[in-house]
Amino acid sequence: MWTRYKILIFSYLMAEICAETHSFSKREVDPGPYFTRNHTIFEGCSRDSQHYEEGSVVKENCNSCTCSGQQWKCSQHVCLVHPELIDHINKGDYGWTAQNYSQFWGMTLEEGFRFRLGTLPPSPMLLSMNEMTASFPARADLPEIFIASYKWPGWTHGPLDQKNCAASWAFSTASVAADRIAIQSKGRYTANLSPQNLISCCPKNRHGCNSGSIDRAWWFLRKRGLVSHACYPLFKDQNTTNNICAMASRSDGRGKRHATKLCPNSYEKSNRIYQCSPPYRVSSNETEIMREIIQNGPVQAIMQVHEDFFYYKTGIYRHVISTNEESEKYRKLRTHAVKLTGWGTLRGAQGKKEKFWIAANSWGKSWGENGYFRILRGVNESDIEKLIIAAWGQLTSSDDP
Ligand SMILES: *[C@@H]1O[C@H](CO)[C@@H](O)[C@H](O)[C@H]1NC(C)=O
Ligand SMILES: *[C@@H]1O[C@H](CO)[C@@H](O)[C@H](O)[C@H]1NC(C)=O
Ligand SMILES: *[C@@H]1O[C@H](CO)[C@@H](O)[C@H](O)[C@H]1NC(C)=O
Ligand SMILES: *[C@@H]1O[C@H](CO)[C@@H](O)[C@H](O)[C@H]1NC(C)=O
């Protein structure tokens, strides 16, 4: 009796806690009628032909449902995974297919946007930077397909997984810098660079896993530099309490480029610091972006992420607007930073030949095409061509053999 009573109280407490909506019963805790009813009529709720006692709580995607008064009372959050939209995309001819990713299941839409992206809208300063033009001969033909890792095998770096750390500002910057240092040093320095070093130590981006700006990330790469990803690996759990800088990555000023501290792990010994030139802006012209990539290496692109982008599995991405009448509340948009690594053409939606970029995301290799995605090229899809950033690896004369 007592345990059932406690369960009842618990269910009312839960109802109060979760009652962001008004769908929960607001009745007083009054065990009297409950016990009387208990002996006479059926209690509890059913779901998938299973019986649940009064007070049971089950999770349905991002919502909690409590069995209360023989009915399920559910919270009404908008979930990140929206099965109707996934269905809509897969039944349509949009040129890409969608997947229900288990890592996103159970998150609210708001949480998805808050934790999985993490680049602040570009500052006016960044947007007003002068554009640079690659010196790649204008007359030389650009190939129909280009993949950076084929031209520079072993010198470019695959996608990492930011998990619930909203720091695409750090992941994309470290990855573009690492590729370019490897390419410009002609394979002398091929280490991947540490996004965790940026997240935990960039003093001007104190938000860390709560978004940051890419101009500050590049400022840090120029002024302080980063150690390798092997030296300063990602934390297993990202949270605000463990976000203390473990690495004062400042060189000793005598041309020796090493951090003043040892790597915060026992495997990697090299605490060498890698630095970059100030960043520069590449033109939004599709041809210019291609010339920049083929000549100097992958570039950073700032894009607008819409809700459907989370479901991308394969194909050429274009934003699909849900036709669902409820779709209004699913529409969301936020800034994200990724790395463009190549391009190509393919027969896509409606059998038409379509041009695409190849881009690396930072949601792990189980997302998209092995961590990469393809997106329409030449039409500024999701603003992908709006702001393209690159930098030079800073190699001193003592670096050159
Ligand atoms: C989506 O995936 C989750 C967990 O991986 C699963 O529980 C759920 O039933 C799936 N939903 C749909 C509509 O396929
Ligand atoms: C934060 O992470 C550390 C270790 O990574 C862990 O010990 C701690 O419990 C976490 N804190 C929270 C609030 O999750
Ligand atoms: C893009 O640049 C190329 C030359 O690099 C030029 O031929 C072309 O007209 C430009 N496109 C636009 C839309 O300005
Ligand atoms: C890309 O689209 C955005 C928003 O629609 C716009 O602000 C920007 O100027 C566009 N850029 C180019 C190069 O077309």
Side-chain angles (χ1 to χ4, degrees), residues 149-163:
S149 61
Y150 289 5
K151 176 167 181 186
W152 299 291
W155 297 359
T156 62
H157 303 85
L160 296 174
D161 191 353
Q162 70 182 82
K163 301 203 176 126

Side-chain angles (χ1 to χ4, degrees), residues 101 147-149 156-159 175 179 309 312-315 339-342 357-375:
Y101 286 105
I147 298 171
S149 61
T156 62
H157 303 85
S175 187
D179 290 3
F309 182 72
Y312 172 89
K313 179 60 197 165
T314 181
K339 180 174 87 170
L340 297 188
T341 63
W357 297 113
I358 304 168
N361 199 354
S362 44
W363 293 348
K365 294 205 162 124
S366 67
W367 182 87
E369 300 180 329
N370 210 17
Y372 292 83
F373 62 101
R374 286 175 287 166
I375 182 167

